[in-house]
Amino acid sequence: LKLPVEFQGEAVMLPTGRDLVDVCTDHTNVSNVRVWTNKKGESQKSEEEMNLLRKFGLGVIYRNNVESSISPLRVAAKHYWLHGLTVVKTVWDADRCADRPERNEGEGENTYAARIDEWRSTTHDSIPIVIQSINPKTVLLDPYYDGGMFVFEVREELCFNVKQRFPRWSNPKTLKATDRVEHISFWTKDYRAEFYDREPVLIGDGVVKHAYSFIPYVAIDTGLGNISADNDLAKRYVGILRYVKDLLISESRDYSIGDVILKRTAYPSGYLIGANAQSVTSLSQKF
């Protein structure tokens, strides 16, 4: 706000920008999600399969939205207006998928079937499809093919967690358990790679073929920006606050200056001198 040094501790940052983002987020409907699926044929069975797949998609979205510690769709809507871009990542989390019990040696078919039924009854609510809202500042999209050729994601994780998940990781920087490790993910529609402090952790040379057949990141921009001749992503992805930032700063500066002045001049204190000072019974201190 560029206030004088002696008044910087009294600066007031107004929540106008936050309110603007929150209002836009509130007006983004993420509660009534609709899913469309393609019908493979004209038969009744194709119709039933289409409806079953559509309901499954609705179920996955609903479960992710209500069971996450923070609603990924709500976060996505906030990123959408704040950054001008929202990135949704959908991946298969094998840790959430319970392993099917193996048949013991000599175990009867009926006994094994009963164990399978019990296993199904206790794991029916396990959905290994995870929807995540990724902060756009951690993602590098392919700037020339609308993010369609590759995606990089860079984030930090605890060294302790990395060592637990990848025991063979060498910890090249000799970090403590509480230190943070740079995690880089690289995806194309056919291949992926994971690096921790630039060391690959996947089997082989670190680049492996995956079975998704697509890049599991979906980027949605607000359309408030434009595609420039040089493919500058800063001009492409424009948030709701981009062109009112100076106005927001000016508003907080004006409020802070007025607040400082008001506190010091609205109710002045002092004393009266002179022969008739004691005869003054009241003194107006109106601003």
Side-chain angles (χ1 to χ4, degrees), residues 233-252:
L233 298 184
K235 298 176 183 176
R236 167 72 182 272
Y237 304 120
V238 176
I240 198 70
L241 304 181
R242 169 75 66 84
Y243 298 115
V244 297
K245 182 178 178 181
D246 292 339
L247 181 62
L248 296 173
I249 294 175
S250 177
E251 181 187 35
S252 293

Side-chain angles (χ1 to χ4, degrees), residues 162-172 199-201 203-204:
V162 178
K163 289 293 292 183
Q164 290 291 314
R165 187 176 181 187
F166 302 101
R168 296 183 181 180
W169 178 62
S170 67
N171 191 4
E199 178 182 316
V201 295
I203 299 173

